[in-house]
Amino acid sequence: MNKELKVKDILEITGGILLQGDKEAVCGEFAYDTRRMNENDVYIGLKADTIDGSEYWEEAFKKNGKIVIINNIKIDVKLLQKWPDRTIIVVENSLEALQKIAAYKRNLYGKDLKVIAITGSVGKTSTKDMVANVVAQKYKTLKTQGNHNNNIGLPFTVLELENEEAMVIEMGMNHFGEISVLTSIAKPTICVITNIGTSHIGNLGSRENILKAKLEILEGCKNPKVVINNDNDLLHKWYVENKEKYDIKTYGINEKSLFNAENIELQEQSSSFDCNIDGENKNITINVGGEHFILNALCAITVGKEMGISSDKIVKGIESFELTQKRMDIYDLKDNIKLINDAYNASFESMKASLKVLAEYKEHRKIAVLGDMFELGDFAKGLHENVGKEVAKNKIDILIASGENSKYIVEKAKEGLKSENIYYFEDKEKIEELLLKIVKPNDVILFKASNGMQFYKLAERMVEIWKK
């Protein structure tokens, strides 16, 4: 069921102008970075803060692109004459054009395409990967690559559609209105909300507002099926208040739900639990440690059953799931040193979950290397203090912190850790020097911070230094 897009379709969808070229030309794959273009790709010149990608239209042709979509910029006629066999479409706003083209392509597949959209404060990417692995046991499935979950990444994912039967996509946001745009493009058939935490609370002002922003996911659906984590306090409250209005399916560990986990066993690098599926008790093992991955698995079970997938195939999808890179990457290094690189992003909830995973290494000395969490606004001090309390609660042996707000982690950690086991640096580059001095055989080191702190680069350097 491959749905071709032609230049004439693009012109109609976007209201664009054909500067030159062939209206009947068929569009290939879409790209916005000339450095990563393949032959015959359609280049869309997107405008950023400092550059306008439309200025690179000729670079796209040099990479053997045949079609470019650009904003209304000045183009030297002599340059046009160099590319007489290429097609140039001019639009008012290339980002809006991208989104309109993606929405059009999604509509070509109609009700035949099953679209599972996933949002939440934390766990979107790992949940997406696990759900997609389950869905793929029955349906040919397209999924969001990495965390390309914004107003650019999601449309490009949709434009990759060829002959898939299902699409599992991630929706992220920082402000009100952003998920509304994404869901209007993707038109989900199943909407998943993993949790409502504190990510971006500095932008939105309260967890209640975060819930309101996440619920925009329902705007793109007709009679949506909704899947929620019933253990989350705000989602549970919303479920109780709205279960007569929406078709809501629940999963959880603590709250009574459609699917619950029982007999949970957490190991250092794996976890297992029992779940009743179709009246049959299934024991399921996940090849990643941490209670939050059990919630991800329960979500995948719930979605799988909504899509008519057998319990055996659901279990197979969960047990063969592999985590996206930079999410709980665990390295076995020399002298039995273990390093956990979970420094791609951070919120209080994900910090708490990662520290619980670190605490499972009961036979090892546990070192937490923590940095700032971003976009918390007036809540920054209190939430960083809460991380410090989690460090003490989980009996972490050594804390190393760096960042403007990480001093609050240190202050609260002192309530449970000895001062000689706590280190704080204004300059994070000094962390490497300290680690080389204090790390011993059998230690486990967790790296966790918001992406902008670039702790993942520090973790990668230590992996290179300590690799076998």
Side-chain angles (χ1 to χ4, degrees):
M1 192 176 61
N2 192 353
K3 308 290 186 181
E4 284 186 345
L5 281 174
K6 293 186 176 181
V7 168
K8 64 182 181 182
D9 299 320
I10 303 297
L11 294 171
E12 183 176 346
I13 296 160
T14 64
I17 297 169
L18 185 64
L19 189 61
Q20 68 175 42
D22 179 8
K23 285 187 177 182
E24 296 298 323
V26 176
C27 298
E29 295 183 3
F30 288 75
Y32 65 94
D33 187 339
T34 58
R35 295 167 298 180
R36 295 180 174 85
M37 278 186 66
N38 297 313
E39 189 173 349
N40 295 324
D41 280 359
V42 178
Y43 175 69
I44 301 183
L46 298 175
K47 195 167 187 177
D49 293 336
T50 56
I51 62 169
D52 187 348
S54 295
E55 301 285 354
Y56 293 85
W57 63 272
E58 194 173 19
E59 290 299 316
F61 287 156
K62 289 176 182 177
K63 290 291 185 73
N64 287 321
K66 297 294 189 292
I67 301 167
V68 298
I69 302 170
I70 58 173
N71 294 314
N72 193 6
I73 60 172
K74 288 184 179 180
I75 297 179
D76 190 330
V77 176
K78 291 180 181 178
L79 288 180
L80 286 179
Q81 292 170 353
K82 289 171 57 179
W83 309 100
D85 61 335
R86 310 297 172 91
T87 297
I88 302 176
I89 300 170
V90 177
V91 296
E92 283 296 317
N93 183 308
S94 56
L95 177 57
E96 289 180 5
L98 165 67
Q99 293 168 351
K100 287 177 180 178
I101 297 165
Y104 175 83
K105 179 140 192 188
R106 165 44 186 121
N107 286 339
L108 290 178
Y109 291 77
K111 295 179 181 178
D112 292 334
L113 182 69
K114 297 167 176 61
V115 180
I116 303 93
I118 298 170
T119 193
S121 293
V122 292
K124 293 184 293 295
T125 300
S126 55
T127 304
K128 173 260 301 178
D129 287 338
M130 195 175 287
V131 168
N133 215 44
V134 166
V135 173
Q137 303 304 310
K138 181 175 180 179
Y139 302 97
K140 186 168 184 183
T141 304
L142 173 69
K143 71 171 183 176
T144 303
Q145 295 302 310
N147 68 328
H148 295 170
N149 60 17
N150 62 7
N151 61 350
I152 296 173
L154 183 141
F156 273 103
T157 297
V158 174
L159 288 172
E160 291 176 18
L161 278 167
E162 291 184 355
N163 59 353
E164 288 85 4
E165 302 165 294
M167 179 168 63
V168 182
I169 50 175
E170 186 180 331
M171 293 185 179
M173 65 89 202
N174 298 325
H175 299 88
F176 284 120
E178 293 176 343
I179 288 182
S180 183
V181 171
L182 302 182
T183 194
S184 69
I185 295 168
K187 293 183 173 56
T189 53
I190 298 177
C191 299
V192 176
I193 307 179
T194 62
N195 47 53
I196 303 300
T198 56
S199 296
H200 316 302
I201 198 169
N203 298 334
L204 290 159
S206 69
R207 290 181 66 228
E208 287 72 19
N209 280 345
I210 294 170
L211 171 63
K212 186 177 178 182
K214 297 296 185 185
L215 287 171
E216 290 174 7
I217 196 172
L218 304 181
E219 294 175 10
C221 318
K222 289 183 179 179
N223 303 316
K225 293 183 177 182
V226 188
V227 173
I228 65 160
N229 170 7
N230 205 23
D231 283 356
N232 184 267
D233 57 341
L234 291 186
L235 286 175
H236 175 72
K237 181 174 181 288
W238 179 82
Y239 163 67
V240 171
E241 294 171 352
N242 291 275
K243 59 184 176 181
E244 303 301 326
K245 183 178 179 181
Y246 296 104
D247 181 4
I248 307 172
K249 305 296 190 238
T250 59
Y251 63 91
I253 295 173
N254 301 312
E255 290 287 347
K256 176 68 175 172
S257 304
L258 180 62
F259 293 102
N260 283 106
E262 298 178 346
N263 302 321
I264 293 172
E265 292 188 12
L266 299 177
Q267 305 295 327
E268 293 176 357
Q269 297 186 34
S270 66
S271 51
S272 66
F273 65 99
D274 292 339
C275 184
N276 187 300
I277 309 175
D278 294 336
E280 183 181 358
N281 192 59
K282 293 284 187 181
N283 181 259
I284 302 170
T285 299
I286 310 167
N287 60 7
V288 185
E291 188 176 85
H292 50 302
F293 284 100
I294 291 176
L295 286 168
N296 293 350
L298 290 168
C299 177
I301 291 168
T302 312
V303 172
K305 291 314 300 177
E306 282 299 296
M307 297 183 67
I309 301 172
S310 71
S311 57
D312 286 343
K313 285 186 176 180
I314 289 172
V315 172
K316 181 181 177 184
I318 293 170
E319 295 192 335
S320 61
F321 143 85
E322 293 182 1
L323 198 58
T324 295
Q325 275 194 319
K326 294 196 181 85
R327 275 146 176 95
M328 293 300 290
D329 284 346
I330 300 175
Y331 299 89
D332 292 310
L333 304 170
K334 69 178 184 180
D335 299 326
N336 200 34
I337 294 169
K338 294 184 186 296
L339 185 148
I340 304 171
N341 185 0
D342 195 24
Y344 186 79
N345 57 22
S347 64
F348 167 65
E349 292 76 20
S350 65
M351 282 275 198
K352 180 179 177 180
S354 294
L355 287 166
K356 285 182 72 175
V357 170
L358 181 60
E360 289 300 323
Y361 288 83
K362 299 184 182 357
E363 305 302 319
H364 301 259
R365 190 172 67 151
K366 297 169 282 293
I367 302 173
V369 182
L370 307 180
D372 282 3
M373 304 175 289
F374 291 171
E375 296 185 351
L376 299 180
D378 294 339
F379 299 87
K381 181 176 184 290
L383 288 169
H384 283 85
E385 286 176 342
N386 287 345
V387 171
K389 292 176 184 177
E390 291 297 319
V391 170
K393 177 182 173 182
N394 284 285
K395 296 181 170 56
I396 305 305
D397 297 298
I398 295 175
L399 169 66
I400 303 170
S402 180
E404 182 180 350
N405 288 309
S406 290
K407 59 181 178 285
Y408 302 120
I409 298 177
V410 167
E411 286 176 11
K412 285 298 176 182
K414 285 178 180 176
E415 296 177 6
L417 271 68
K418 295 178 180 178
S419 295
E420 60 263 31
N421 291 331
I422 298 176
Y423 302 85
Y424 176 78
F425 298 107
E426 290 187 3
D427 179 6
K428 70 174 183 290
E429 299 307 318
K430 292 182 179 179
I431 294 174
E432 179 179 335
E433 182 180 340
L434 175 67
L435 287 171
L436 292 173
K437 286 181 180 177
I438 68 169
V439 169
K440 300 176 181 178
N442 302 314
D443 283 354
V444 182
I445 308 104
L446 166 71
F447 289 80
K448 183 73 175 171
S450 281
N451 191 42
M453 292 294 292
Q454 297 193 330
F455 273 34
Y456 64 90
K457 290 184 177 179
L458 174 59
E460 289 166 357
R461 282 206 305 273
M462 302 316 295
V463 168
E464 283 299 307
I465 291 169
W466 288 327
K467 67 183 179 182
K468 295 178 181 177

